[in-house]
Amino acid sequence: MKTSDKIGASFPHVCLDGRYNSEDVSFWTSGFWGGLLWLAYRETQQKSLRSLAEQIERKLNEPLHQFYDIHHDVGFMYLPTAVHHYKVTGNEDSRRTGLIAASHLAGRFNLKGQFIRAWTDSVDPDSTGWAIIDCLMNLPLLFWAAEEDHDPRFKHIAVAHADTVLKQFVRDDGTVPHIVSFDPETGDKIENLGGQGLGPDSAWSRGQAWAIYGFSIAARETGKSEYLTAAKNIANYFISHLPDDRVPYWDFRTSDADKHVRDSSAAACAASGLLELSSLLDDHTEQLFYYNNALAILERLYAQYSDFSDSQDAILTKGTVSYPDNRHVNIPIVYGDFYFIEALAKVHGRPGLF
């Protein structure tokens, strides 16, 4: 990869003035660069890429020993790094890291509300009873740990959380809010919150993408038809509301004045999720529908939203982290690059890292 020497064993998030920044090792996106390196190594067998991915993994051990500040996004951090490393090489240290991360995630489960708590007090002191749609993408860590450690408790927590998302997040029209607030003592739902979306009743595009991919994985791991149906319904909304260039606005319900704000990362994540969904279906017509829509998104990302020149470290342009906060709007984002490359690998018959 052309940027591997420049980025090194760091933790990029967004590309500013052509160069990826570097976040703290505990930041939720810290696994995506390592995942990109593993994806590249899988195709090239270039030893320097693997070595760099292993350096990143060693650094990622640090947050596991800071339990007070570890958050729900350990799946994003350790699935494409330590867990993938173990799957490929059988490395026991990587296995141990993945299982510790899964234990941390399981420890965030609220028994009364049947959900995994999002974030920490250092992020938002009001988040004790919050669950977010993104966390569906952390559940594969629990499914893996259940099988790897022969302990079904991990799977039980993953299923309980997915069931809660199905019941409390998914609307009849196939959309989801970013955040649902629960009473952490009783477990009762209080309200939807807008989070990084337009509002409590909006359809934040990356949230829809997390839901497509997350429910597809939950269906893959459990065989539950309810999850597969949810993934299809959310995907149908996503596909039918895309603009002509197949890359969504930051929120599907945004005003015309803000439709210049796009999120290529939502497109890339959705494409990878649609490919996952397609692979689970028996009906050939349905398979082709989701597969071809994934291809259409990837083709437009490549043709209109990518930059393979030396002018920037990233691949995809026009991703948006949080438009309500005016934070990193229409710029490259590392997880956009990760899901773009992962989706392309799936097209060529390779499995994803989630």
Side-chain angles (χ1 to χ4, degrees), residues 297-328:
I297 291 171
L298 293 172
E299 287 169 357
R300 292 302 183 94
L301 284 172
Y302 179 83
Q304 296 177 240
Y305 288 82
S306 63
D307 184 349
F308 292 95
S309 70
D310 293 329
S311 63
Q312 69 170 20
D313 294 342
I315 298 171
L316 294 186
T317 62
K318 294 190 177 180
T320 295
V321 172
S322 180
Y323 188 53
D325 301 321
N326 194 30
R327 180 158 50 96
H328 304 315

Short mmCIF file of all heavy atoms in Angstrom, two decimals, residues 297-328:
data_model
loop_
_atom_site.label_atom_id
_atom_site.label_comp_id
_atom_site.label_asym_id
_atom_site.label_seq_id
_atom_site.Cartn_x
_atom_site.Cartn_y
_atom_site.Cartn_z
N ILE A 297 -23.27 0.55 -6.12
CA ILE A 297 -22.69 1.49 -5.17
C ILE A 297 -21.17 1.52 -5.30
O ILE A 297 -20.56 2.60 -5.36
CB ILE A 297 -23.11 1.11 -3.73
CG1 ILE A 297 -24.61 1.34 -3.53
CG2 ILE A 297 -22.31 1.92 -2.71
CD1 ILE A 297 -25.14 0.79 -2.22
N LEU A 298 -20.55 0.35 -5.37
CA LEU A 298 -19.09 0.29 -5.47
C LEU A 298 -18.59 0.94 -6.76
O LEU A 298 -17.56 1.63 -6.77
CB LEU A 298 -18.62 -1.16 -5.38
CG LEU A 298 -18.84 -1.85 -4.03
CD1 LEU A 298 -18.52 -3.34 -4.13
CD2 LEU A 298 -17.97 -1.19 -2.95
N GLU A 299 -19.31 0.72 -7.84
CA GLU A 299 -18.91 1.31 -9.12
C GLU A 299 -18.94 2.84 -9.06
O GLU A 299 -18.04 3.52 -9.56
CB GLU A 299 -19.82 0.80 -10.23
CG GLU A 299 -19.54 -0.65 -10.61
CD GLU A 299 -20.60 -1.23 -11.51
OE1 GLU A 299 -21.61 -0.52 -11.80
OE2 GLU A 299 -20.45 -2.40 -11.93
N ARG A 300 -19.98 3.39 -8.44
CA ARG A 300 -20.07 4.85 -8.33
C ARG A 300 -19.04 5.40 -7.36
O ARG A 300 -18.49 6.49 -7.58
CB ARG A 300 -21.48 5.25 -7.91
CG ARG A 300 -22.53 5.00 -8.98
CD ARG A 300 -22.19 5.75 -10.28
NE ARG A 300 -23.22 5.57 -11.28
CZ ARG A 300 -24.24 6.42 -11.47
NH1 ARG A 300 -24.36 7.49 -10.70
NH2 ARG A 300 -25.14 6.17 -12.40
N LEU A 301 -18.78 4.67 -6.28
CA LEU A 301 -17.72 5.11 -5.37
C LEU A 301 -16.39 5.18 -6.09
O LEU A 301 -15.63 6.15 -5.95
CB LEU A 301 -17.62 4.15 -4.17
CG LEU A 301 -18.69 4.27 -3.10
CD1 LEU A 301 -18.56 3.13 -2.09
CD2 LEU A 301 -18.63 5.61 -2.38
N TYR A 302 -16.11 4.17 -6.89
CA TYR A 302 -14.85 4.14 -7.63
C TYR A 302 -14.78 5.26 -8.67
O TYR A 302 -13.76 5.95 -8.79
CB TYR A 302 -14.68 2.78 -8.32
CG TYR A 302 -13.41 2.67 -9.13
CD1 TYR A 302 -12.21 2.34 -8.51
CD2 TYR A 302 -13.41 2.91 -10.50
CE1 TYR A 302 -11.03 2.25 -9.24
CE2 TYR A 302 -12.25 2.82 -11.24
CZ TYR A 302 -11.07 2.49 -10.61
OH TYR A 302 -9.91 2.41 -11.34
N ALA A 303 -15.87 5.45 -9.38
CA ALA A 303 -15.86 6.40 -10.49
C ALA A 303 -15.94 7.86 -10.04
O ALA A 303 -15.34 8.74 -10.66
CB ALA A 303 -17.02 6.09 -11.44
N GLN A 304 -16.67 8.13 -8.95
CA GLN A 304 -16.98 9.52 -8.61
C GLN A 304 -16.51 9.94 -7.22
O GLN A 304 -16.47 11.15 -6.93
CB GLN A 304 -18.49 9.76 -8.70
CG GLN A 304 -19.03 9.62 -10.11
CD GLN A 304 -20.54 9.81 -10.16
OE1 GLN A 304 -21.29 8.92 -10.57
NE2 GLN A 304 -21.02 10.95 -9.72
N TYR A 305 -16.15 9.00 -6.35
CA TYR A 305 -15.83 9.36 -4.97
C TYR A 305 -14.50 8.77 -4.52
O TYR A 305 -14.30 8.53 -3.32
CB TYR A 305 -16.94 8.89 -4.03
CG TYR A 305 -18.22 9.69 -4.14
CD1 TYR A 305 -19.15 9.41 -5.14
CD2 TYR A 305 -18.50 10.72 -3.25
CE1 TYR A 305 -20.33 10.14 -5.25
CE2 TYR A 305 -19.68 11.45 -3.35
CZ TYR A 305 -20.58 11.15 -4.35
OH TYR A 305 -21.74 11.88 -4.46
N SER A 306 -13.58 8.55 -5.43
CA SER A 306 -12.29 7.99 -5.04
C SER A 306 -11.15 8.82 -5.61
O SER A 306 -11.32 9.54 -6.61
CB SER A 306 -12.16 6.54 -5.52
OG SER A 306 -12.22 6.47 -6.94
N ASP A 307 -10.03 8.73 -4.96
CA ASP A 307 -8.82 9.45 -5.37
C ASP A 307 -7.63 8.53 -5.14
O ASP A 307 -7.24 8.29 -4.00
CB ASP A 307 -8.68 10.75 -4.57
CG ASP A 307 -7.49 11.59 -5.03
OD1 ASP A 307 -6.67 11.09 -5.81
OD2 ASP A 307 -7.40 12.76 -4.59
N PHE A 308 -7.08 8.01 -6.23
CA PHE A 308 -5.95 7.09 -6.13
C PHE A 308 -4.62 7.78 -6.43
O PHE A 308 -3.60 7.11 -6.62
CB PHE A 308 -6.15 5.90 -7.08
CG PHE A 308 -7.28 5.01 -6.68
CD1 PHE A 308 -8.54 5.18 -7.22
CD2 PHE A 308 -7.09 4.00 -5.75
CE1 PHE A 308 -9.60 4.35 -6.86
CE2 PHE A 308 -8.14 3.17 -5.37
CZ PHE A 308 -9.39 3.35 -5.93
N SER A 309 -4.63 9.10 -6.45
CA SER A 309 -3.40 9.84 -6.72
C SER A 309 -2.55 9.92 -5.46
O SER A 309 -2.94 9.45 -4.38
CB SER A 309 -3.75 11.26 -7.19
OG SER A 309 -4.28 12.02 -6.13
N ASP A 310 -1.39 10.54 -5.59
CA ASP A 310 -0.51 10.72 -4.44
C ASP A 310 -0.86 11.96 -3.63
O ASP A 310 -0.15 12.30 -2.67
CB ASP A 310 0.95 10.83 -4.91
CG ASP A 310 1.45 9.52 -5.51
OD1 ASP A 310 0.98 8.46 -5.05
OD2 ASP A 310 2.30 9.56 -6.41
N SER A 311 -1.95 12.63 -3.99
CA SER A 311 -2.29 13.89 -3.32
C SER A 311 -2.93 13.68 -1.95
O SER A 311 -3.02 14.62 -1.17
CB SER A 311 -3.24 14.71 -4.20
OG SER A 311 -4.47 14.02 -4.40
N GLN A 312 -3.40 12.46 -1.67
CA GLN A 312 -3.97 12.22 -0.34
C GLN A 312 -3.76 10.77 0.08
O GLN A 312 -3.60 9.88 -0.76
CB GLN A 312 -5.45 12.57 -0.31
CG GLN A 312 -6.37 11.66 -1.10
CD GLN A 312 -7.84 11.94 -0.81
OE1 GLN A 312 -8.20 13.00 -0.33
NE2 GLN A 312 -8.67 10.97 -1.10
N ASP A 313 -3.76 10.56 1.38
CA ASP A 313 -3.55 9.22 1.92
C ASP A 313 -4.76 8.32 1.72
O ASP A 313 -4.62 7.10 1.60
CB ASP A 313 -3.27 9.30 3.44
CG ASP A 313 -1.96 10.00 3.76
OD1 ASP A 313 -1.11 10.11 2.87
OD2 ASP A 313 -1.79 10.42 4.92
N ALA A 314 -5.95 8.90 1.74
CA ALA A 314 -7.18 8.12 1.71
C ALA A 314 -7.57 7.73 0.29
O ALA A 314 -6.99 8.20 -0.69
CB ALA A 314 -8.31 8.92 2.36
N ILE A 315 -8.60 6.89 0.21
CA ILE A 315 -9.13 6.47 -1.09
C ILE A 315 -10.44 7.19 -1.39
O ILE A 315 -10.56 7.88 -2.40
CB ILE A 315 -9.37 4.94 -1.11
CG1 ILE A 315 -8.05 4.20 -0.90
CG2 ILE A 315 -10.01 4.52 -2.44
CD1 ILE A 315 -8.22 2.71 -0.69
N LEU A 316 -11.41 7.05 -0.50
CA LEU A 316 -12.73 7.63 -0.75
C LEU A 316 -12.79 9.08 -0.30
O LEU A 316 -12.21 9.46 0.73
CB LEU A 316 -13.82 6.84 -0.03
CG LEU A 316 -14.06 5.41 -0.48
CD1 LEU A 316 -15.27 4.83 0.26
CD2 LEU A 316 -14.27 5.31 -1.98
N THR A 317 -13.52 9.89 -1.04
CA THR A 317 -13.75 11.28 -0.68
C THR A 317 -15.18 11.43 -0.14
O THR A 317 -16.00 10.53 -0.25
CB THR A 317 -13.58 12.19 -1.90
OG1 THR A 317 -14.55 11.83 -2.90
CG2 THR A 317 -12.18 12.05 -2.49
N LYS A 318 -15.44 12.55 0.48
CA LYS A 318 -16.79 12.96 0.90
C LYS A 318 -17.47 11.97 1.85
O LYS A 318 -18.58 11.52 1.62
CB LYS A 318 -17.69 13.23 -0.31
CG LYS A 318 -17.21 14.43 -1.13
CD LYS A 318 -18.22 14.84 -2.17
CE LYS A 318 -17.74 16.09 -2.92
NZ LYS A 318 -18.70 16.51 -3.96
N GLY A 319 -16.78 11.68 2.92
CA GLY A 319 -17.41 11.02 4.05
C GLY A 319 -17.75 12.06 5.10
O GLY A 319 -17.14 13.13 5.14
N THR A 320 -18.71 11.76 5.95
CA THR A 320 -19.11 12.72 6.98
C THR A 320 -19.24 12.02 8.32
O THR A 320 -19.98 11.04 8.45
CB THR A 320 -20.45 13.40 6.61
OG1 THR A 320 -20.26 14.19 5.43
CG2 THR A 320 -20.94 14.29 7.74
N VAL A 321 -18.52 12.54 9.32
CA VAL A 321 -18.56 11.96 10.65
C VAL A 321 -19.83 12.38 11.37
O VAL A 321 -20.63 11.55 11.78
CB VAL A 321 -17.31 12.36 11.46
CG1 VAL A 321 -17.44 11.91 12.92
CG2 VAL A 321 -16.06 11.73 10.84
N SER A 322 -20.02 13.69 11.55
CA SER A 322 -21.21 14.17 12.26
C SER A 322 -21.57 15.57 11.77
O SER A 322 -20.97 16.55 12.21
CB SER A 322 -20.98 14.19 13.78
OG SER A 322 -22.13 14.67 14.45
N TYR A 323 -22.57 15.64 10.90
CA TYR A 323 -22.98 16.93 10.39
C TYR A 323 -23.64 17.81 11.46
O TYR A 323 -23.40 19.02 11.50
CB TYR A 323 -23.92 16.74 9.19
CG TYR A 323 -24.24 18.05 8.49
CD1 TYR A 323 -23.22 18.90 8.06
CD2 TYR A 323 -25.55 18.42 8.25
CE1 TYR A 323 -23.51 20.09 7.41
CE2 TYR A 323 -25.86 19.62 7.60
CZ TYR A 323 -24.83 20.44 7.18
OH TYR A 323 -25.11 21.62 6.55
N PRO A 324 -24.46 17.26 12.38
CA PRO A 324 -25.04 18.12 13.41
C PRO A 324 -24.00 18.84 14.26
O PRO A 324 -24.25 19.94 14.77
CB PRO A 324 -25.87 17.15 14.26
CG PRO A 324 -26.22 16.05 13.34
CD PRO A 324 -25.02 15.89 12.45
N ASP A 325 -22.83 18.23 14.43
CA ASP A 325 -21.75 18.84 15.20
C ASP A 325 -20.77 19.61 14.31
O ASP A 325 -19.76 20.11 14.80
CB ASP A 325 -20.97 17.77 15.97
CG ASP A 325 -21.84 16.97 16.92
OD1 ASP A 325 -22.71 17.59 17.55
OD2 ASP A 325 -21.65 15.75 17.00
N ASN A 326 -21.06 19.64 13.00
CA ASN A 326 -20.13 20.24 12.03
C ASN A 326 -18.73 19.63 12.19
O ASN A 326 -17.71 20.34 12.12
CB ASN A 326 -20.08 21.76 12.18
CG ASN A 326 -19.41 22.43 10.99
OD1 ASN A 326 -19.46 21.92 9.87
ND2 ASN A 326 -18.75 23.56 11.23
N ARG A 327 -18.70 18.33 12.36
CA ARG A 327 -17.44 17.64 12.61
C ARG A 327 -17.08 16.74 11.44
O ARG A 327 -17.75 15.76 11.15
CB ARG A 327 -17.55 16.83 13.91
CG ARG A 327 -16.32 16.06 14.31
CD ARG A 327 -16.31 15.76 15.81
NE ARG A 327 -17.57 15.16 16.25
CZ ARG A 327 -17.77 13.85 16.39
NH1 ARG A 327 -16.80 13.00 16.10
NH2 ARG A 327 -18.93 13.41 16.82
N HIS A 328 -16.00 17.10 10.75
CA HIS A 328 -15.46 16.31 9.65
C HIS A 328 -16.53 16.02 8.59
O HIS A 328 -17.04 14.90 8.46
CB HIS A 328 -14.86 15.01 10.17
CG HIS A 328 -13.81 15.20 11.22
ND1 HIS A 328 -12.81 16.14 11.11
CD2 HIS A 328 -13.59 14.57 12.41
CE1 HIS A 328 -12.02 16.08 12.17
NE2 HIS A 328 -12.48 15.15 12.98
#
